């Protein structure tokens, strides 16, 4: 067995299970070993009942105080018992386990571990498992991996197979020659400990090594790309157009200094002989869209096509509407077409035709823009907004569609310049570092649910003034398992609560694209005054007339996410407000949310958030790192990122042909191939 072997080489993995693995994207032993746990089951130190203040997994050391009771509720059989320690007692419930009535250990000290929940100030523990002291003290020292699995697989099974693979294959360390210099675990130790941590320190070290690998490979590939593309000439000669000046003068506002500077950067690129690869960074609300519009217009006026890729259809429609208005204002004949996933085949075909013939100047849409069927006549510019990095592969695919176009990537991911330079090393960077003038800072408050009625009164007043409001709920519909506000019931409740003349609608990710579009359009044109939504609203939507953002169960969201949500208001000239309602009065929660009160700096917020969530979060590896990294997190791992960048620089300097680093060369080659494989295009 070696790293390339198929999984069926493992004992106990037949074709059936191999199919399940395929669903997870795992086909080889190498991929199996690189499938890191999403979290670890850790057994916490027991707490006193009196200390329980937050919902979640908890262990208490106590006894069953009185004989358990068996209740029936419909088909449900519930055993309840009172668990007691020195400081108090809590009710425990077990479902569909009637035999526990007889077998629960009465009176003796045990460790009970289960999820605690609160309803109307009454705490319960759900389905606790119980352990003797000796058992629990062993568990406390371990942490068991938990994986993201599909139906038919278990964590035990997965651990077993990974253990088997680790036992049988040899794991070469492609960083052997340099790892000591950068204080890294060997690859083998790291892989072993990420799956089966010896202890906490080793887990942290293992993670560090794997994060380093991820950053290092990424940075190296990018630096190579940069070297190889430095001298790419483009085939889209352009010239300055008088209409641009007119257009800019005709905008309903004047460009900020930062915007004007960025536009100069972009224009200089267009007029230079080399292909543009530029990142435009600017916090939410800084006004990136108009730069995109200027670039697209300039390209069209010069007789080429430009494509603008955005993450959602709602956003595509919104941009379409505003561009059409802008252009018609000054009587410009620019043809814009929309291309999105929800269009019918027939509609798409028509658009394909127009793109091919060159009738369309600007193509606006989602991922559909880059499907194979789309043939451009003379695509000179591609802009992507708020989306993941525009990968190497996409660029290749595009250049196969014609000459290599100019690329402008727009991002609101707040990162300091030093890190941006590393992460986007293949791009030139422009920053919009000021908000449009006349923009009043958003007023924030973090309150508990007791002030909800006051918040409603406030929202009604804003609506009277002609403004609109967003209300965010964490869930779409009611759920047995999780408590928290949900969009559907909330909307109904609010329709009763608010006067009839106020239109209230909802928006969530499960709705059809067309329904979503309708709702967004109605909200944009103030036919709807209150929009109750999940976080689908988070990305890029622009309704400058909305002045209130209220977030229910704010404690459920990450601060970075709340910051993005907050960015949906304060986009016009009106004073805007953000109300974060916390369903949890816990001191730590309030402190965490309070960070939002003190800062508008997205990076600072994201970083503080990570610090506060701290070790727990680090321990449970987040599967969705930022910026497409699997486990690396730029907020948490900035130092590792810098280290990896230094390492890549040194290597490229010392041994550019990899004469002394054969293993490394092989690894880098397979990385480049793997990247190509994983990018869905
Ligand atoms: P983001 O950078 O988040 O994409 P947008 O481009 O959507 O921001 O701009 C946010 C809002 O600011 C929009 O309503 C836009 O019309 C407005 N805006 C953009 N530039 C200016 C400016 N220079 N002066 C005033 N308002 C502006
Ligand atoms: Mg935007």
């Amino acid at each position: 067995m070696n790293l390339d072997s198929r999984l069926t080489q493992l004992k106990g993995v037949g074709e059936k299970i191999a199919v399940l693995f395929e669903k997870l994207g795992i086909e080889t032993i190498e991929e199996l070993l690189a499938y890191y746990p999403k979290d670890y089951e850790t057994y916490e130190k027991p707490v006193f009942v009196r200390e329980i203040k937050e919902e979640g997994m908890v262990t208490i050391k106590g006894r069953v105080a009185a004989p358990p009771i068996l209740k029936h509720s419909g088909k449900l059989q519930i055993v309840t018992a009172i668990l007691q320690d020195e400081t108090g007692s809590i009710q425990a419930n077990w479902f569909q386990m009637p035999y526990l009535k007889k077998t629960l250990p009465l009176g003796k000290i045990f460790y009970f571990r289960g999820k605690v929940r609160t309803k109307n100030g009454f705490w319960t523990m759900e389905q606790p498992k119980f352990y003797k002291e000796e058992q629990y003290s062993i568990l406390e020292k371990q942490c068991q991996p938990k994986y993201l699995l599909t139906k038919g697989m278990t964590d035990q099974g997965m651990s077993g197979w990974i253990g088997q693979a680790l036992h049988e294959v040899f794991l070469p360390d492609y960083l052997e020659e340099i790892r000591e210099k950068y204080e890294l675990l060997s690859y083998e130790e790291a892989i072993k400990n990420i799956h089966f941590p010896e202890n906490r320190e080793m887990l942290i070290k293992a993670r560090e090594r794997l994060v380093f690998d991820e950053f290092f490979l990424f940075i190296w590939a990018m630096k190579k790309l940069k070297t190889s593309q430095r001298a790419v000439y483009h085939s889209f000669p352009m010239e300055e157009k008088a209409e641009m000046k007119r257009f800019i003068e005709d905008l309903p506002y004047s460009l900020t200094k930062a915007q004007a500077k960025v536009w100069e950067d972009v224009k200089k690129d267009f007029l230079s002989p080399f292909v543009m690869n530029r990142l435009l960074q600017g916090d939410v609300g800084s006004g990136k869209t108009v730069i995109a519009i200027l670039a697209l217009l300039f390209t069209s006026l010069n007789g080429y096509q430009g494509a603008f890729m955005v993450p959602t259809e709602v956003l595509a429609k919104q941009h379409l509407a505003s561009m059409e208005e802008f252009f018609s204002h000054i009587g410009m004949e620019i043809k814009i077409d929309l291309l999105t996933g929800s269009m019918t085949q027939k509609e798409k075909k028509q658009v394909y035709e127009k793109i091919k013939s060159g009738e369309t100047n600007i193509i606006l849409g989602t991922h559909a823009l880059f499907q194979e069927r789309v043939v451009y006549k003379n695509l000179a510019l591609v802009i992507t907004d708020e989306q993941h990095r525009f990968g190497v592969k996409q660029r290749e695919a595009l250049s196969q569609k014609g000459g290599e176009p100019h690329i402008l990537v727009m991002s609101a991911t707040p990162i300091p310049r030093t890190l941006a330079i590393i992460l986007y090393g293949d791009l030139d960077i422009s920053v919009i570092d000021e908000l449009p003038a006349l923009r009043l800072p958003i007023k924030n408050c973090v309150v508990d649910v007791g002030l909800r009625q006051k918040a409603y009164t406030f929202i009604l007043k804003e609506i009277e003034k002609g403004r609109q409001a967003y209300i965010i709920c964490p869930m779409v519909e009611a759920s047995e398992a999780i408590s928290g506000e949900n969009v559907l019931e909330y909307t109904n409740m609010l329709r009763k609560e608010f006067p009839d003349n106020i239109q209230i609608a909802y928006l969530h990710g499960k709705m059809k694209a067309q329904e979503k579009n309708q709702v967004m359009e109605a909200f944009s044109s103030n036919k709807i005054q209150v929009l109750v939504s999940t976080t689908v609203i988070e990305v890029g939507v622009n309704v400058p007339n909305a002045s209130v953002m209220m977030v229910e169960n704010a404690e459920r969201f990450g601060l970075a996410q709340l910051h993005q949500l907050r960015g949906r208001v304060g986009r016009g000239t009106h004073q805007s407000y953000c109300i974060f309602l916390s369903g949890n009065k816990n001191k730590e929660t309030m402190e965490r949310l309070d960070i939002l009160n003190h800062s508008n700096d997205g990076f600072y917020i994201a970083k503080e958030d990570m610090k506060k969530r701290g070790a727990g979060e680090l321990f449970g590896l987040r599967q969705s790192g930022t910026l497409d990294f699997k486990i690396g997190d730029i907020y948490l791992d900035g130092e590792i990122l810098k280290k990896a960048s230094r390492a890549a620089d040194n290597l490229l300097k010392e041994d550019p042909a990899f004469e002394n680093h054969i293993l490394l060369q092989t690894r880098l080659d397979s990385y480049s191939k793997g990247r190509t494989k994983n990018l869905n295009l």
Side-chain angles (χ1 to χ4, degrees):
M1 189 185 299
N2 58 45
L3 287 173
D4 293 327
S5 301
R6 289 211 32 182
L7 291 179
T8 41
Q9 300 245 327
L10 290 169
K11 273 194 218 90
V13 179
E15 288 304 328
K16 256 195 200 151
I17 294 197
V19 170
L20 297 181
F21 271 114
E22 264 169 45
K23 280 193 198 161
L24 301 174
I26 308 175
E27 289 177 20
T28 64
I29 298 291
E30 181 167 21
E31 286 162 352
L32 175 69
L33 293 178
Y35 199 73
Y36 310 139
K38 73 167 191 309
D39 200 356
Y40 299 85
E41 182 88 18
T42 52
Y43 293 81
E44 335 42 36
K45 280 207 161 31
V47 299
F48 289 120
V49 170
R50 203 176 49 203
E51 289 171 347
I52 297 175
K53 290 211 176 71
E54 214 169 330
E55 299 195 332
M57 262 325 217
V58 158
T59 302
I60 58 171
K61 180 183 172 185
R63 67 184 93 230
V64 177
I69 300 164
L70 175 61
K71 286 190 291 199
H72 294 266
S73 158
K75 279 193 186 146
L76 269 187
Q77 297 177 303
I78 310 169
V79 172
T80 66
I82 299 299
L83 308 178
Q84 190 177 52
D85 71 7
E86 298 133 64
T87 66
S89 58
I90 183 169
Q91 179 180 315
N93 303 317
W94 290 269
F95 302 98
Q96 311 302 62
M97 299 163 90
Y99 51 88
L100 283 178
K101 178 172 155 51
K102 296 228 172 72
T103 55
L104 270 185
L106 196 62
K108 285 199 202 101
I109 293 286
F110 269 82
Y111 285 68
F112 295 87
R113 179 167 188 270
K115 269 210 175 107
V116 291
R117 290 172 59 170
T118 174
K119 211 165 191 183
N120 308 326
F122 183 74
W123 285 90
T124 56
M125 185 181 257
E126 306 300 328
Q127 302 275 82
K129 289 193 174 149
F130 43 96
Y131 308 89
K132 290 194 181 125
E133 180 146 22
E134 313 85 81
Q135 274 177 319
Y136 199 80
S137 71
I138 293 170
L139 289 174
E140 248 183 292
K141 295 196 188 93
Q142 301 176 341
C143 44
Q144 313 281 349
K146 291 200 285 188
Y147 296 90
L148 202 69
L149 300 172
T150 64
K151 218 173 157 194
M153 298 177 109
T154 63
D155 284 320
Q156 279 97 327
M158 193 74 176
S159 299
W161 288 315
I162 289 173
Q164 217 188 104
L166 275 172
H167 201 75
E168 304 227 355
V169 297
F170 170 65
L171 282 177
D173 192 344
Y174 71 101
L175 290 182
E176 193 52 48
E177 291 96 342
I178 61 167
R179 77 176 176 86
E180 272 178 21
K181 182 166 166 193
Y182 298 100
E183 299 173 327
L184 300 167
L185 285 190
S186 77
Y187 187 60
E188 181 166 3
E189 277 174 299
I191 289 288
K192 276 194 174 141
N193 275 281
I194 204 80
H195 292 291
F196 306 106
E198 275 168 43
N199 52 45
R200 221 183 147 95
E201 282 95 86
M202 282 304 278
L203 174 57
I204 290 171
K205 281 209 168 119
R207 183 180 173 280
E208 261 170 30
R209 158 74 204 236
L210 298 172
V211 170
F212 181 93
D213 282 21
E214 193 176 26
F215 286 158
F216 177 78
L217 291 168
F218 171 83
I219 291 168
W220 176 85
M222 198 175 54
K223 284 190 195 292
K224 246 191 86 174
L225 182 75
K226 171 114 180 163
T227 338
S228 72
Q229 82 187 3
R230 188 169 290 145
V232 174
Y233 290 89
H234 64 74
S235 39
F236 315 105
M238 299 194 198
E239 56 185 43
E240 187 66 271
K241 293 281 168 187
E243 289 96 326
M244 292 309 295
K245 198 161 168 249
R246 229 178 75 218
F247 181 79
I248 292 173
E249 276 165 7
D250 233 66
L251 285 171
Y253 44 74
S254 44
L255 294 180
T256 61
K257 256 202 210 116
Q259 284 170 322
K261 165 82 176 54
V262 170
W263 170 233
E264 285 306 313
D265 289 348
V266 173
K267 206 163 59 183
K268 218 181 274 164
D269 287 349
F270 282 144
L271 298 176
S272 99
F274 300 110
V275 170
M276 166 168 76
N277 279 293
R278 186 169 288 282
L279 167 72
L280 167 50
Q281 217 195 324
D283 208 348
V284 285
S286 61
K288 295 184 288 297
T289 316
V290 69
I291 302 294
I293 296 176
L294 288 170
L296 291 164
L297 178 62
F298 191 73
T299 308
S300 310
L301 290 172
N302 272 287
Y304 305 104
Q305 292 176 315
F308 189 6
M309 180 160 89
V310 297
T312 64
E313 268 190 67
V314 166
L315 212 54
K317 289 229 156 137
Q318 217 175 61
H319 287 334
L320 176 70
S322 57
M323 274 194 229
E324 278 177 342
E325 194 190 315
F326 277 148
F327 294 153
S328 71
H329 243 235
I330 53 171
M332 280 183 187
E333 279 286 312
I334 307 278
K335 291 254 167 48
I336 313 171
D337 271 302
L338 210 57
L339 199 55
T340 63
S342 77
M343 285 163 57
T344 64
Q345 280 307 323
K346 202 174 142 207
E347 290 169 323
K348 279 190 201 162
K349 250 196 177 145
Q350 284 169 350
V351 177
Y352 292 157
E353 281 305 313
K354 288 204 262 176
I355 295 176
K356 197 172 159 190
S357 71
E359 194 186 327
T360 307
N361 302 112
I362 296 176
I363 304 102
L364 243 174
T366 51
H367 272 101
L369 286 189
F370 299 110
Q371 267 147 18
E372 275 164 42
R373 308 270 295 279
V374 191
V375 180
Y376 294 90
K377 171 128 188 278
N378 56 5
L379 183 67
L381 170 66
V382 174
I383 305 180
T384 66
D385 189 13
E386 315 262 359
Q387 192 51 297
H388 305 291
R389 288 180 51 89
F390 198 67
V392 180
K393 172 77 177 170
Q394 274 105 329
R395 234 175 273 175
E396 276 167 13
L398 274 174
S399 52
Q400 280 155 16
K401 283 178 187 285
E404 203 165 313
H406 296 294
I407 287 174
L408 182 63
V409 180
M410 305 204 297
S411 162
T413 307
I415 42 175
R417 203 174 167 84
T418 47
L419 296 190
I421 288 169
I422 299 175
L423 283 166
Y424 295 98
D426 54 336
L427 306 177
D428 298 315
I429 302 176
S430 296
V431 184
I432 304 187
D433 51 6
E434 68 180 316
L435 293 181
L438 297 177
R439 204 56 85 59
L440 299 164
I442 298 169
K443 291 192 174 155
N444 301 291
C445 65
V446 180
V447 294
D448 69 67
V449 292
L451 289 172
R452 191 183 277 129
Q453 286 303 328
K454 258 196 155 154
Y456 289 161
T457 314
F458 181 77
I459 290 175
L460 286 173
K461 266 205 197 124
E462 283 292 300
I463 294 174
E464 242 167 64
K465 286 192 218 157
R467 303 286 84 73
Q468 293 162 276
Y470 297 98
I471 300 183
I472 307 297
C473 299
M475 294 187 299
V476 176
E477 54 203 351
S479 148
E480 267 294 300
I482 322 164
S483 61
E485 300 298 338
N486 71 81
V487 166
L488 297 181
E489 289 180 347
Y490 203 97
T491 307
N492 284 335
M493 181 277 292
L494 216 56
R495 282 180 179 148
K496 286 184 200 131
E497 177 92 24
F498 278 14
D500 286 344
N501 61 341
I502 291 177
Q503 296 304 314
I504 302 168
Y506 61 79
L507 192 74
H508 59 73
K510 289 184 184 168
M511 284 160 66
K512 291 214 181 79
Q514 209 186 355
E515 290 175 274
K516 278 194 270 188
N517 290 336
Q518 278 167 1
V519 172
M520 264 330 289
E521 267 160 37
F523 189 65
S524 296
S525 55
N526 201 359
K527 291 193 187 88
I528 291 168
Q529 287 76 47
V530 182
L531 186 61
V532 182
S533 170
T534 57
T535 53
V536 291
I537 209 70
E538 183 183 337
V539 205
V541 166
N542 185 38
V543 180
N545 190 48
S547 66
V548 186
M549 166 62 67
M550 170 165 154
V551 184
E552 288 280 355
N553 296 107
E555 75 281 2
R556 289 287 178 77
F557 300 99
L559 294 186
Q561 202 174 14
L562 292 172
H563 177 63
Q564 282 289 327
L565 285 169
R566 170 162 71 183
R568 295 311 110 213
V569 295
R571 300 174 81 83
T573 46
H574 313 292
Q575 174 65 54
S576 292
Y577 307 87
C578 213
I579 308 168
F580 300 110
L581 280 181
S582 170
N584 183 335
K585 284 193 216 176
N586 176 302
K587 187 164 152 260
E588 276 161 42
T589 310
M590 290 309 231
E591 272 176 15
R592 190 167 75 86
L593 292 175
D594 202 43
I595 294 171
L596 291 167
N597 267 336
H598 301 306
S599 176
N600 258 321
D601 172 348
F603 185 76
Y604 171 81
I605 289 170
K607 210 168 162 150
E608 285 301 302
D609 195 18
M610 288 310 287
K611 266 198 236 152
K612 285 253 186 286
R613 287 194 279 175
E617 193 75 15
L618 194 150
F619 213 43
L621 299 179
R622 301 193 311 158
Q623 275 284 321
S624 59
T626 36
L627 285 168
D628 286 356
F629 291 112
K630 200 160 94 179
I631 60 170
D633 186 300
I634 51 164
Y635 299 110
L636 214 55
D637 304 316
E639 288 311 309
I640 306 180
L641 184 67
K642 287 180 196 157
K643 195 151 94 172
S645 171
R646 275 202 308 276
D649 276 343
N650 286 339
L651 254 169
L652 285 169
K653 233 183 279 153
E654 287 161 17
D655 187 12
F658 293 107
E659 278 152 359
N660 303 317
H661 299 89
I662 307 289
L663 265 181
L664 180 58
Q665 184 175 24
T666 321
R667 180 69 188 94
L668 293 171
D669 284 349
S670 76
Y671 174 77
S672 300
K673 285 201 202 94
R675 274 172 65 82
T676 335
K677 182 181 140 197
N678 290 332
L679 283 163
N680 51 344
L681 193 103

